[in-house]
Amino acid sequence: MFKKEVYIDRRNRLKKELGSGIALFLGNVDAAFNYDANQYHFRQDSSFLYFFGLDHTGFAGVVDVDNNTDYIFGNDVDMDDIIWMGEQPLVKDLAVEVGIHATEPFDKLAAFVSGAMASGRKIHYLPPYRGETYIALSELLNVSIKGIKNNVSIELIKTVIKLREVKDSNEIEEIEKAVAIAWEMHTTAMHMAIPGVTEQKIAGTIEGISLALGGPVSFPVILSMDGQTLHNHYHGNTLSKGRMMVTDAGAETQLHYASDITRTVPVGGKFDTRQAEIYQIVLNANIAAIKAIKPGLKYRDVHFLAARTLVDGLKKAGIMKGDTNAAVNAGAHTLFMPHGLGHMMGLDVHDMEGLGEDYVGYDEQTQRSTEFGTAYIRLAKTLKPGFVLTVEPGIYFIPPLIDQFKNKGKFTDFINYNKLENYKDFGGIRIEDDILVTETGHRILGKPIPKTIKEIDETMSYRIG
Ligand code: GLY
Ligand code: MN
Ligand code: MN
């Protein structure tokens, strides 16, 4: 946990922004894995963590803006819990650690909420994402489960995003710890990536590193020779020479800040000519995009800069042709990179995505496109100092997508489909880093993880099986 002043300040800023009403934050509860007493590793809700810091199951936090009072509702453990879990601090003592002096048993929350509603006060709440939270909100607010999403507070969503999107120095330090763990995960994956080793063995090993050095992985590990599938969680292949391995993996720190790094390496460590050519194009896009990042720039413009770099490279490789700007304006690059350049990162790996991607990634001046590929941009809006985001360009050779575009006669001015046939067995490449937007530009977070062809070659000449 951070110092209590951090949480007091966050709640005070929330009150100032919101102006009136009550903000209700339901923390998460334990979730059953395969029977009630066997549970998933507990993960607290990120907005609850941000404002209340307490990493405990079954709590609710309330910010009463009108009365300038913050509450924790939660139950002290009973003897049964103590027998199984050991002695636990009292709720009132936990609350003091985050600057809260008003605590109540959890079952008092219903009367508190209904009393406030009866006196005409607005209850602000965020969109839930777990069934348990839907049910709890439905009961507390006397709204049907279906009605819960329709009554979320847009004001609260916007306020929470305004606060959480700008990271302070404590948060940056945590994110750098998460990247340091990712360094261990990715360099280990590189050392292990030799023919005959299974993807599962490497994926399991690096997930263990995350747990050993911080917390769980920040999202399920993506590790595959079939990197053309963007979020590939199948780890059933045995690595073979001539293929590349995409590893997209990050860790959570003990305070639940995330990292999200992707590296792509040739199995065995030596790039062949074709791999080196495509890899260098993606690396150029990654470097050009990072170099451009500064406050005041729309991230969508950085996305298109990366897209132009990819097209320039693919033209040199003979896979694309024509005018680069015209190709990007037409959307021809989306055959190779049908996703956005990156997303916000913080307490969630796709930070605050549960609050609504359009609220997090777009602003009044930046509206979402409806075009294939460009519509998937998660972050498009104007950058501000304190934003932490990912830069993750890729080139993917997705055979069914290639066939579909070709059969529809799409982008024939820009794509050399004959040449492209030779790449259907290639897979994909993504290179992803975590970046802080500073007052004057940007900073790549954490200890650099091998990224150039030379660095990867050198790193992979040391092997563990
Ligand atoms: N973790 C998937 C991504 O890179 O966004
Ligand atoms: Mn990633
Ligand atoms: Mn990412």
Side-chain angles (χ1 to χ4, degrees), residues 113-389:
V113 170
S114 59
M117 288 195 304
S119 53
R121 298 177 63 201
K122 166 104 178 152
I123 310 288
H124 298 273
Y125 64 93
L126 298 173
Y129 50 89
R130 287 194 184 186
E132 290 87 344
T133 318
Y134 271 99
I135 294 168
L137 284 170
S138 167
E139 288 175 352
L140 283 168
L141 302 168
N142 201 20
V143 175
S144 71
I145 301 267
K146 277 198 176 139
I148 287 294
K149 272 259 153 101
N150 300 333
N151 289 298
V152 297
S153 166
I154 307 297
E155 282 165 277
L156 184 61
I157 290 171
K158 288 185 172 173
T159 301
V160 170
I161 291 171
K162 188 171 174 183
L163 298 178
R164 279 181 59 187
E165 70 183 2
V166 176
K167 273 66 181 179
D168 67 20
S169 56
N170 294 305
E171 296 180 286
I172 305 299
E173 206 175 299
E174 275 301 306
I175 293 170
E176 294 215 86
K177 282 186 208 164
V179 182
I181 301 169
W183 186 95
E184 298 284 350
M185 295 163 74
H186 282 273
T187 54
T188 300
M190 289 178 193
H191 297 322
M192 292 180 74
I194 49 182
V197 177
T198 61
E199 293 169 346
Q200 184 66 35
K201 185 170 179 184
I202 306 176
T205 301
I206 67 173
E207 184 155 351
I209 290 173
S210 177
L211 273 172
L213 298 180
V217 286
S218 51
F219 58 94
V221 169
I222 296 164
L223 187 145
S224 181
M225 291 194 301
D226 291 318
Q228 75 280 8
T229 304
L230 303 185
H231 281 179
N232 199 335
H233 296 130
Y234 174 75
H235 301 141
N237 297 312
T238 300
L239 299 187
S240 56
K241 196 166 170 344
R243 304 293 309 276
M244 299 196 82
M245 181 181 84
V246 171
T247 306
D248 182 352
E252 275 196 359
T253 62
Q254 288 186 346
L255 297 191
H256 302 291
Y257 284 85
S259 56
D260 181 9
I261 300 285
T262 308
R263 290 293 182 263
T264 308
V265 301
V267 173
K270 302 288 173 208
F271 286 81
D272 66 26
T273 312
R274 189 174 74 147
Q275 290 170 339
E277 184 175 38
I278 303 297
Y279 187 87
Q280 192 60 46
I281 299 169
V282 181
L283 184 59
N284 290 347
N286 167 286
I287 291 169
I290 292 172
K291 201 164 159 228
I293 289 173
K294 61 179 183 192
L297 197 63
K298 272 191 207 291
Y299 201 53
R300 185 154 64 196
D301 293 338
V302 185
H303 170 92
F304 285 121
L305 167 68
R308 288 195 300 275
T309 311
L310 294 177
V311 172
D312 280 340
L314 287 166
K315 275 165 56 183
K316 279 205 190 100
I319 297 169
M320 290 190 78
K321 58 189 176 179
D323 179 67
T324 299
N325 284 331
V328 169
N329 289 342
H333 61 286
T334 62
L335 174 57
F336 304 100
M337 188 174 107
H339 63 69
L341 184 63
H343 49 85
M344 298 284 217
M345 197 186 74
L347 279 163
D348 306 304
V349 64
H350 288 184
D351 208 23
M352 302 173 279
E353 198 165 284
L355 304 186
E357 210 174 86
D358 283 353
Y359 295 119
V360 181
Y362 291 78
D363 54 25
E364 300 285 311
Q365 295 77 37
T366 322
Q367 302 302 314
R368 190 186 281 272
S369 154
T370 53
E371 297 293 320
F372 172 83
T374 306
Y376 307 155
I377 294 181
R378 290 196 158 99
L379 177 60
K381 71 185 181 185
T382 303
L383 302 177
K384 290 186 198 156
F387 281 14
V388 171
L389 47 85

Side-chain angles (χ1 to χ4, degrees), residues 22-85:
I22 289 174
L24 169 63
F25 295 89
L26 293 185
N28 280 336
V29 295
D30 286 314
F33 180 45
N34 52 345
Y35 52 94
D36 276 346
N38 200 29
Q39 294 156 345
Y40 286 104
H41 186 91
F42 176 69
R43 175 54 156 86
Q44 184 57 286
D45 172 74
S46 296
S47 289
F48 185 92
L49 276 175
Y50 185 81
F51 292 106
F52 300 94
L54 300 177
D55 200 0
H56 295 259
T57 178
F59 285 2
V62 167
V63 175
D64 185 336
V65 183
D66 309 316
N67 296 315
N68 192 21
T69 308
D70 306 330
Y71 298 85
I72 290 290
F73 289 82
N75 296 334
D76 289 323
V77 296
D78 60 18
M79 188 49 73
D80 273 357
D81 294 322
I82 290 171
I83 291 167
W84 295 102
M85 299 157 54

